[in-house]
Amino acid sequence: MSDDASRKRARAGGRAGNKSRAGTAIIDQMPWRIPVNPDRPIEPLDAEGVQAVHKATMRILKEIGIEFLNPDAVAHLKRAGCVVNGTNVKMDEDFVMEMLSHAPESFTITPRNPERELIMGGKHMLFVNVSSPPNAWDLERGKRTGDFATFKEFMKLTQYFNCIHIAGGYPVEPVDIHASIRHLDCLYEKLTLTDKVVHAYSLGAERVEDVMEMVRIAGGLSHEEFEAKPRMYTNINSVSPLQHDYPMLDGAMRLAKRGQPVVITPFTLAGAMAPVTMSGAVTLSLAEGLAAVALLQFINPGCPVALGTFTSNVDMKSGAPAFGTPEYMRATQMTGQLVRHYKLPMRSSGTCAANVPDGQAMWETSNSLWAAVQSRTNMVYHAAGWLEGGLIASPEKFIMDCEVLQMIQRYFEDSVTATTPDDLAFDAIKGVGPGGHYFGCQHTQDRYATAFYAPIVSDWRNYEAWQQDGSIWTVERAHRIYKQIIAEFEAPEMNGDHQEELRQFVAKRKQEGGAPTDF
Amino acid sequence: MSDDASRKRARAGGRAGNKSRAGTAIIDQMPWRIPVNPDRPIEPLDAEGVQAVHKATMRILKEIGIEFLNPDAVAHLKRAGCVVNGTNVKMDEDFVMEMLSHAPESFTITPRNPERELIMGGKHMLFVNVSSPPNAWDLERGKRTGDFATFKEFMKLTQYFNCIHIAGGYPVEPVDIHASIRHLDCLYEKLTLTDKVVHAYSLGAERVEDVMEMVRIAGGLSHEEFEAKPRMYTNINSVSPLQHDYPMLDGAMRLAKRGQPVVITPFTLAGAMAPVTMSGAVTLSLAEGLAAVALLQFINPGCPVALGTFTSNVDMKSGAPAFGTPEYMRATQMTGQLVRHYKLPMRSSGTCAANVPDGQAMWETSNSLWAAVQSRTNMVYHAAGWLEGGLIASPEKFIMDCEVLQMIQRYFEDSVTATTPDDLAFDAIKGVGPGGHYFGCQHTQDRYATAFYAPIVSDWRNYEAWQQDGSIWTVERAHRIYKQIIAEFEAPEMNGDHQEELRQFVAKRKQEGGAPTDF
């Protein structure tokens, strides 16, 4: 391929070498971009339905109230005029809507590499790596407890793939590192192995403050520069039903005060922590989410927040959580309608219940990713690598999911559905004529390099060619790609001074004992 | 499960024993229904884009013309006032639009069992089994040439699954039966092993007439009753670019004259038989399709027709056809917009390029099935069982696809997104309170049996339970279900006299030598 063709491809996004950015070219992946979703969302609710969900949400907030298990939060809300009864806080529609009016519809997040700046909101769609599984699984080693070596492998995959925008939570929990210093080691690796936006767990004041400080140092920023705009983010989950716990609220408030984004994602599993009816589970989720948004907007009006959904259903036979189900898809779409009603950015996820990266894993994940598209989700958590309802991170699944993510990005490109005279190709159709073939014609030759999506792990050859090459099923092809990426990985550039300062900060904080582990 | 619970489930469609209809209850599948797609279609083209495609389509028909390689068809179109030049026929927009105005927007098809009557058009969505692969693949036997025993197995799967509405083309080509009598044996099995709508290949006058006669006999119908409404259908493909061949046109005209539906599906592979640009490939497909529709509406105004799409792209590296790609999805959606513009029912497909039923197979199939939903497709060909770009039929893939089809059916149910006060569940949320659990509450107990989709082949248990049970991947679970369905299959009821008459007809036609094989 000539340099010219390569540049052409990169622009059109069909295929792109992108060697300069990724460091290696094991696969011919698409270039870095922030995808823009042009589709009108799927809206299962009519205007009346949206109002019904909104009113029910407001009624929960006013008549039942939310438990804020954090005295500071309660104090803020008391000052705001909410009805406080111990930890129970009731807020009315006027207050909630006024607080919501402060929240920005979209905002940027700028990591240490400013070229990786993201836009969160509107029609933009961001993909986050798998976050928080305690275990890993791969084809060679099977299921095993997460460790630091595996954590680093996933960080490399996260950095390698241009379609992954955010280094979210820990892809696996590295239990071989003591919990008091785990966040220090993990964030050091995250901030040096990747140059993308990173996340902080809200698991205690020290951890949150350490991560903010490390992001500041890695970016070579003054405290003022750090606070001038969003540089990282946290994601908090409510303790459904109807509760926000101490550390999550603490972390959220710390970030909000410094203008750093907070994503609030209740986990309302219909039939378990939420009503068995999907609109009921969505309503509960919205009430919990909006209560936290109101708190943060009261503390720092205009601070960046987003609403997440993690509404799915259990399997009524076993009580096990199910993901990527029809109910999950519709809940995500309904939540999208309400989140747009509230003019907030939205988070959802790429999910499945499957234990291994097989057919079930991919139809469940496809269902959840297309639901993210259809709901106009802005931030897709667990977009690559998730298995077993979030209990397993798998590198093979990571590769396979990236194929789907790249296809979604390509699906968004205007050129696929363009109808200029050149696209409609009347002259080519006339020139080739009846019974002819288009492969050799000029119209094709001018476009073939960028005309179509080029796969990374899919095998499109016929059975015999595939068989002759060893009859390799998708999961094994993905395994080979994963191994090669890890073997050839080169870390992104980093300012040496910043890296040294980061190293010293970690050493100092370790010497001080890290963070308490009584959370 | 009590009888009461069973009935409740059947109504809501979550789970349904449905023993009475399917004969066996190996899996807890959803009941027979005609799915209704409530979603607004995804429309990548704006009004201007639709007009641009329409105008380009009309320009092809008027200025380039279509080759009709059938003298009868040419004679009809000459009589209709088209510009005829040998086999080339040019038609103008007024004529095409006038002919289109005769075509019904929807119609019914009634097979021998009137309870299996279908509606084709509007928001209705019908699923057809895999049709026409020359080969079969299963986990035990690998890839092999199609034979009659395998053909019968797929007929049993087709009948067994309530989510499959139509016994389309041969699921595998039974090459162990001589081509002259193949259609007689195949249709006999199709009409006795299933009671669903069947298809006739347009591969020569004798075959088409034999199939119509066999459908008439199987239904115990007079010739008048047969012609009184649609009883079966054919699907014809143009020979892209720009040609309709003799036998396809012959079959289509024979059916149209007797009021039987014709689905016209050009196969325009962008970069091979069609322009490399997707709107160009769609335009070519529409021109070929509309030309045939115009012919049939001129011959018998008001006869039932539908427009199919089979527009995808090749892999530019190998020239191999690719399916379920972003380009495929957008082409299907664009075609949907134009087919609705022409007020015709639409056909698309469930497709993949994968050689085995693994992850790739399921993300490609999911992409194509969701594109069918998003384009408001009425008839989904190859909805279950297709692999290797249509060269392989697989029973495991059939089972796996039926899971996705059932999920689509469930996704369509109003109850999933209902927002009545009962669904919004304020009282339950208040009753359970903060930190409580919904499993035991009355609101859940009243609904748990029907609240959620119940899977047939998905395993939603956690890894350890799955492992203890043998670590069975999806494809092997599907294999076991397939074997059990075949082992326990019971054919649907059939009137003994009709069956005997059918047997005699087959014997007589075989004695006469069947059909010529020089096609």
Side-chain angles (χ1 to χ4, degrees), chain A residues 57-77:
Chain A
T57 302
M58 294 300 144
R59 206 178 154 204
I60 292 170
L61 291 173
K62 188 179 180 184
E63 297 181 29
I64 305 175
I66 302 288
E67 302 292 314
F68 283 83
L69 307 177
N70 181 307
D72 284 350
V74 173
H76 283 299
L77 291 168

Side-chain angles (χ1 to χ4, degrees), chain B residues 127-140:
Chain B
F127 299 123
V128 188
N129 63 353
V130 57
S131 298
S132 309
N135 307 299
W137 180 97
D138 70 44
L139 205 49
E140 227 175 292

